[in-house]
Amino acid sequence: MKSLTLEQAANRIMVALDYPDAEAAKQLMVQLEGIPCYMKVGMQLFYAAGPDFVRELKTRGYRVFLDVKMHDIPNTVKGGSNSVTKLGVDMFNVHAAGGVQMMKAAMEGVEEALAHHQGLAKPTVIAVTQLTSTSQTMMNEEIGIPGLVTDSVVRYAQLTKEAGLHGVVASPQEVTLIKQACGEAFQTITPGIRPAGSAVGDQSRVMTPEQAFAQGTDYVVIGRPITAAPSPRKALESILEGLI
């Protein structure tokens, strides 16, 4: 990771826009202007601000990861994938727990959108394995999945690859196992990232950005350590300085 330029490092940072409305998010957009990072739009912001906010991000030159975790019957996910592909997002996700047929339907929705709308770029489609807030006890006793969290994550990653998707969202602690099972080209996007000294919050499985990239991950998602900082720009710049 240390051999990367500042721009290359920024391209692999996803800033989580965990805001309740567009106005708050736009303030951050202005503060980070010129830093070529990804913007991750989650459910709260997307439900509040809608597709127009995503279009504004694209107009401003940002790449967008739409984090809405689609999980429904295959035909519904196919339609949702078609819609967000036409919206122009660069990446979006589904839940691997929806199964292979549902994930294949997501890719069908992408291909149909590309076939009928010239000029669209093909988005990266990834699947959620186990949320980084999911502990071993929670997975076993509440969700009802036996075994280790890592075993579940790798199994979901293998199903994701089988379905033709590009990668998975997973804890940085599982990146090495996923790459071993699915190949180096299979992408990993890792939330649960906390710079040294940051509060863990509601995450159960965390690493620093440096540790996550050392594990071989492709992208890291960072939210509150940037967005809740007194100066978000300085916080992001400090993270980048530690990576180059």
Side-chain angles (χ1 to χ4, degrees):
M1 186 67 188
K2 292 289 185 178
S3 62
L4 297 184
T5 66
L6 182 65
E7 180 177 358
Q8 289 170 330
N11 286 163
R12 296 173 64 179
I13 300 289
M14 296 181 166
V15 178
L17 297 179
D18 295 328
Y19 292 104
D21 55 59
E23 288 308 311
K26 287 178 182 178
Q27 293 178 28
L28 184 76
M29 289 163 52
V30 172
Q31 293 181 65
L32 300 185
E33 190 171 2
I35 300 177
C37 55
Y38 253 92
M39 291 295 189
K40 185 181 81 69
V41 177
M43 285 184 283
Q44 181 182 24
L45 182 57
F46 189 65
Y47 292 162
D52 285 343
F53 180 74
V54 173
R55 294 187 183 99
E56 182 172 352
L57 282 171
K58 294 298 298 178
T59 298
R60 288 174 175 264
Y62 287 106
R63 292 180 295 165
V64 177
F65 168 24
L66 185 61
D67 179 21
V68 291
K69 303 179 179 70
M70 297 183 199
H71 188 178
D72 213 309
I73 64 172
N75 193 57
T76 298
V77 170
K78 178 180 177 180
S81 298
N82 186 291
S83 294
V84 299
T85 299
K86 289 187 287 189
L87 184 57
V89 303
D90 300 272
M91 181 183 293
F92 71 91
N93 58 4
V94 302
H95 261 290
V100 171
Q101 292 307 312
M102 188 207 77
M103 290 190 282
K104 286 183 176 180
M107 296 307 299
E108 291 170 4
V110 170
E111 295 301 333
E112 285 190 5
L114 296 176
H116 291 91
H117 295 80
Q118 293 185 353
L120 285 176
K122 185 173 184 177
T124 298
V125 187
I126 59 176
V128 177
T129 54
Q130 290 292 343
L131 299 174
T132 52
S133 59
T134 300
S135 66
Q136 186 73 48
T137 299
M138 182 190 300
M139 192 187 80
N140 294 159
E141 299 181 8
E142 297 179 23
I143 302 174
I145 299 176
L148 300 175
V149 171
T150 50
D151 293 338
S152 175
V153 167
V154 171
R155 176 60 178 155
Y156 277 147
Q158 291 170 323
L159 292 174
T160 300
K161 183 178 181 181
E162 179 184 336
L165 276 64
H166 305 105
V168 292
V169 180
S171 161
Q173 294 164 331
E174 286 112 31
V175 167
T176 300
L177 292 173
I178 290 169
K179 296 285 187 177
Q180 289 173 348
C182 300
E184 289 297 321
F186 190 74
Q187 297 181 39
T188 53
I189 293 80
T190 49
I193 302 300
R194 293 289 184 270
S198 297
V200 171
D202 59 0
Q203 304 284 359
S204 294
R205 308 190 317 278
V206 300
M207 279 189 184
T208 67
E210 293 89 343
Q211 290 170 333
F213 283 121
Q215 293 296 311
T217 198
D218 297 282
Y219 299 94
V220 297
V221 179
I222 307 175
R224 284 163 286 188
I226 295 172
T227 60
S231 172
R233 187 179 187 91
K234 288 183 179 179
L236 178 53
E237 288 175 340
S238 177
I239 291 168
L240 292 172
E241 287 172 2
L243 295 174
I244 61 174

